[in-house]
Each structure stands twice: as structure tokens, then as C-alpha cells.
Amino acid sequence: MKRLVLKFGGSSVGTIEKSKKVANIVKEKFSAGNEIIVVVSAMEGVTNDLKEKSNSISKNFDNKELDVLLSSGEQISCSLLSGAIINLGLKARSWLSWQIPIVTNNNHTASQIINIKTEEIINFISKKGIAIIPGFQGIAADSRVTTLGRGGSDLSAVTIAKFFQTDSCEIYTDVEGVLTADPTINAKAKKIDKISYEEMLEMASLGAKVMQPISVQASMVNEIPIHVRSVFSGKEGTIITSQNEIDYKKVVTGISYSKNDAKVSLVGVVDKPGVAADIFEPLGNNNINIDMVIQNTSSDGKKTDVTFTLKREDLSKALSLIEKNKEKLNYNKIIHDDKVAKVSIIGAGMIANPGVTHKMFRSLANEKINILAISTSEIKISVLVQENFTQQSVKVLHKEFGLD
Ligand code: ADP
Ligand code: ASP
Ligand code: MG
């Protein structure tokens, strides 16, 4: 007998019909003699709707109340699924996070799970019950409801796998697994059979929505392999696992993109020690993360330009912080652009294969796609391009690196 965590995303329980289908998948797994813990997201679109409602009251809606509001979506999908499983003649029960409890810190809207009490649920599943747990949420020490950040049901599933010491963690979604690119912008994207934690973390952080980045980090730290698979086809999906399980045949494993970025250039700043620190210090102090940075050396030793990228939602705050500091920074002008996108190639195979960089740049140049900024790590290269070239960039790189 095995103990399994089965997580169903919002796309898998988006309608009553889909919830009934999920109930049948759960029944099949249970009937094969396994102990089952199910983690469920809110029905597709529900969390977004709730967020919009809070926005229409105020853009600065209270964080703690927002958590109460957003967590309600999972209560609906959990009870519907549990009811559907009971209807199939099985024993099932849904819990809310505070009833278990799943204890988190009080970092509302982006909480971390600290502990999960397991006795009651282990007792239930050991007596042929199927436990249904809401993803995405917990309760803080002060008894207030918390949420884990968008897409956080993936993190719930991995953390539940850890605390319940399950034999596997299966993430059911609306695609065949982790694909070489987002299938909505490249129909030639193919399923990846196995991917390392490190590569998946890069793919997810750089925009592949299929797994929440923090959940991948949690699975890597705790060495919990994940099976990402389709709720529709029943076929084997993608195994996210440690690097030494993988035989790298390709240099590039996958391609991600994100359209959440903006670019800022300070033109004509003085080229002397301390200027970069003066630019970025107020941004850091205001929780603004900087991603790519380019600074030219000045040809005359006097003035240079500094360009950087950041999250689009932080752009206006960053601009006003820089303008406040204009006298100290002494730049000539500031230019910004929020119609940019970041396209990244990811692959552990890059480490042993020189020449990937120029191949990437050349194939974009052949399409007349201008590169606005570049950043690299051992296993990824990201470029910033104009947003309207996103799809074309993904497609040309997908082909260039043999993923079509
Ligand atoms: P769920 O509701 O199951 O949590 P998500 O919408 O969060 O599902 O994630 C699945 C979606 O992620 C897919 O429908 C697909 O459009 C998108 N996606 C983006 N990049 C990738 C990728 N590399 N592989 C698979 N899916 C991807
Ligand atoms: N329902 C939450 C969201 O939409 C959590 C999740 O889907 O994983 O972000
Ligand atoms: Mg998701």
C-alpha cells in the first residue's frame, strides 16, 4: 500500500463535470489499494474573481481580509469534490486549513507553512477514508487565515507530501506535463519526461506557470520528486527530480517567457564609485527587486548610462524614488519602457556546451529581433525583447535548439 498526495489545480475542477471526473480518478487510485490525500485549488477563475471584488472596494484592500476572501474559493471546490467522492460510494471528508491545522507564519498573502498536524488525517486515511485538503491556505498563530501566494496549492501539495511522508506527489493539471514551452504560444511544445529541480525552478521563476516556483524550491530542498500530469489523458507526465537521475541529451531543456517586466535607463550618470549603490539602495529599501542590470563603462571617464529591469507593477514607485533622488544621482534623463518581455532558454546541458549564447543571439538577430538586455546563470540565458516579439522569439529559439 502506498500513501499518495494528489493535487488538482483550478483547471481540473473548473466545472461540476470536471470535479466528477476528478472524483473518478481519486476512486481509481484508492481502489488500487492506496491511501489518498487530495489537495484542491479553487475552481478556475474563482480566485481572480475574488481578487477583482476586493480591488473594486479598494486597491489597498486589507491583507488579512483579503486572505479570508481568497481562501473561500478552495472551501467550495473541496466540499464539492468530497461530496462527489461520497456519491461514488466511498468514505471522504474535507477539512479547512484551520481544522487540521496547517500552521503558517503571519506574512499575509505570501505565508510560509511552519507545521501541519497529521494525526487526525492519518487516522482517517488508515481507516479507508479519503482526505480532501484545501490548497493555498493556512492559519497563523493569532488564529487568522493566511494564504500562500498565487498558485500556492502546488506548495501546499509538496508540503503535505513532506509532513505526511507520502510515497509520491502528483500534480494534475490541464496539460500533459511540463512542456518545452508554454503550449498556448507555441503549439510545437513537447512534453519533457524528466526535468531536474534546478531547471524546473528556473523555468517556473522565469514564467512557466505550470508549477509555482516556491513549490519547486520546497520539493528540491526536501528531495520530494513531483509527477506533473494531465487530468484528461491519464498518461505519464513529467517527473521533476534530482539532476543525477537525468541523462542530458539536449543542451536546452525548455523555454520560458514573462511579460511582467519593465526597463528603466538612467542616461548620463556620473561614472564614479558609489553611484550604482545610490541608485539601487532606495529601491531595495522599498522592497523593489531588480532583475537585469547593464552599466557601460564611460568612454571619457565622466558619464555613463545605467539600465535595469524590474517588475512592471513596481515601475511607477521606482520612478518616483529615483526622481526624488535626482539631485544626488545627477543624471541627464530617465527613460522607461514597460512593453518589454523576458525570454529565457533553460538547460543543465548548457554547462558542458559552449556556444549556446551566440547561437541564441544569432537566431534572434536573423529574425531582426533586437536584444535590450541580457542575463545569464550556469543553466539559463535570458534576453529582454520588445513585448510584441515574445511569441516569435520563443518559436525561433524552440526550433533553433531542437525542441520542435
Ligand atoms: P492549474 O490550474 O492546474 O494549477 P495552471 O494554469 O496554474 O494550472 O498551470 C497550467 C498552465 O501552465 C498550462 O495550461 C499552460 O498554459 C501553462 N504553461 C506555461 N508554461 C508551461 C510549460 N512550460 N509547460 C506546461 N504548461 C505551461
Ligand atoms: N486558487 C489559488 C490561485 O488561483 C491557488 C492555486 O490555484 O494554486 O492562485
Ligand atoms: Mg497552478
Side-chain angles (χ1 to χ4, degrees):
M1 189 206 294
K2 287 193 169 158
R3 184 178 292 171
L4 316 179
V5 173
L6 312 176
K7 180 257 171 177
F8 296 92
S11 50
S12 311
V13 292
T15 62
I16 296 298
E17 275 320 303
K18 286 180 180 171
S19 294
K20 286 185 182 166
K21 183 165 171 45
V22 166
N24 279 308
I25 295 175
V26 173
K27 182 177 181 181
E28 210 174 286
K29 293 274 175 179
F30 174 79
S31 305
N34 300 303
E35 286 184 346
I36 309 286
I37 302 172
V38 181
V39 179
V40 197
S41 299
M43 295 169 93
E44 194 166 31
V46 168
T47 315
N48 285 344
D49 272 0
L50 294 168
K51 182 81 180 83
E52 265 173 40
K53 286 195 168 77
S54 72
N55 276 345
S56 55
I57 293 206
S58 161
K59 290 263 179 297
N60 295 317
F61 194 84
D62 183 82
N63 261 354
K64 296 184 171 92
E65 293 306 332
L66 185 61
D67 276 352
V68 178
L69 180 69
L70 296 189
S71 66
S72 66
E74 273 73 10
Q75 180 164 353
I76 297 170
S77 52
C78 273
S79 49
L80 282 173
L81 180 61
S82 190
I85 296 170
I86 294 169
N87 234 32
L88 296 176
L90 303 177
K91 179 171 142 189
R93 187 203 141 167
S94 65
W95 273 260
L96 296 177
S97 293
W98 61 267
Q99 295 172 310
I100 300 172
I102 296 177
V103 181
T104 70
N105 61 13
N106 65 358
N107 187 12
H108 285 273
T109 72
S111 299
Q112 283 92 37
I113 297 176
I114 298 166
N115 193 25
I116 303 179
K117 199 157 166 258
T118 55
E119 288 82 352
E120 186 178 304
I121 287 175
I122 288 181
N123 189 27
F124 184 77
I125 58 176
S126 70
K127 292 186 182 136
K128 305 262 174 258
I130 296 166
I132 319 289
I133 302 182
F136 178 55
Q137 55 207 269
I139 182 165
D142 60 1
S143 295
R144 301 213 55 169
V145 172
T146 55
T147 65
L148 311 182
R150 297 305 307 270
S153 298
D154 295 334
L155 178 58
S156 305
V158 172
T159 316
I160 285 166
K162 172 184 156 188
F163 277 93
F164 286 87
Q165 298 185 321
T166 64
D167 297 289
S168 75
C169 179
E170 300 184 27
I171 305 280
Y172 284 84
T173 186
D174 62 348
V175 284
E176 290 298 320
V178 179
L179 309 181
T180 48
D182 182 350
T184 60
I185 75 156
N186 191 354
K188 293 195 171 146
K190 301 261 174 344
K191 189 186 81 190
I192 301 166
D193 292 330
K194 269 189 188 174
I195 184 169
S196 67
Y197 297 122
E198 289 81 359
E199 289 173 306
M200 190 65 235
L201 184 56
E202 290 281 12
M203 276 192 75
S205 308
L206 294 166
K209 192 186 161 210
V210 62
M211 285 297 297
Q212 187 218 30
I214 307 167
S215 73
V216 181
Q217 197 176 28
S219 70
M220 179 161 86
V221 169
N222 296 294
E223 294 184 34
I224 296 172
I226 298 176
H227 186 178
V228 183
R229 59 191 310 182
S230 165
V231 75
F232 306 118
S233 77
K235 287 189 201 148
E236 289 290 297
T238 302
I239 306 291
I240 307 172
T241 184
S242 69
Q243 236 173 71
N244 48 24
E245 304 269 322
I246 296 167
D247 174 20
Y248 291 102
K249 294 199 183 73
K250 291 207 163 105
V251 178
V252 172
T253 304
I255 300 177
S256 288
Y257 69 94
S258 81
K259 292 182 177 177
N260 301 327
D261 308 80
K263 178 172 76 94
V264 177
S265 297
L266 272 74
V267 180
V269 288
V270 183
D271 192 11
K272 64 169 192 197
V275 170
D278 287 340
I279 296 171
F280 294 117
E281 195 174 352
L283 304 180
N285 289 343
N286 283 278
N287 290 325
I288 296 176
N289 269 326
I290 303 301
D291 183 11
M292 302 163 150
V293 181
I294 306 169
Q295 184 184 345
N296 298 327
T297 45
S298 55
S299 48
D300 58 2
K302 284 180 193 150
K303 291 249 176 181
T304 184
D305 301 339
V306 176
T307 296
F308 61 91
T309 67
L310 72 176
K311 278 206 197 111
R312 220 174 262 185
E313 68 200 39
D314 290 334
L315 178 63
S316 58
K317 194 167 156 195
L319 291 175
S320 66
L321 285 166
I322 291 169
E323 272 153 21
K324 247 192 222 162
N325 250 343
K326 185 164 190 346
E327 230 164 82
K328 185 174 180 191
L329 298 175
N330 194 20
Y331 54 86
N332 294 345
K333 65 174 175 177
I334 184 164
I335 304 170
H336 60 91
D337 186 353
D338 67 356
K339 294 281 173 291
V340 292
K342 189 165 61 176
V343 178
S344 309
I345 57 172
I346 296 110
M350 271 182 212
I351 299 172
N353 282 283
V356 182
T357 317
H358 85 252
K359 214 170 157 189
M360 179 184 195
F361 297 169
R362 178 63 63 206
S363 56
L364 293 172
N366 288 343
E367 297 285 312
K368 306 217 164 9
I369 298 170
N370 197 22
I371 298 172
L372 309 172
I374 301 160
S375 73
T376 62
S377 80
E378 269 192 327
I379 62 164
K380 69 111 199 219
I381 305 170
S382 300
V383 293
L384 198 73
V385 298
Q386 288 300 334
E387 191 184 288
N388 55 337
F389 288 124
T390 313
Q391 183 166 26
Q392 195 183 346
S393 303
V394 170
K395 283 187 169 174
V396 74
L397 295 172
H398 201 266
K399 182 157 187 234
E400 178 69 37
F401 289 100
L403 302 175
D404 271 10

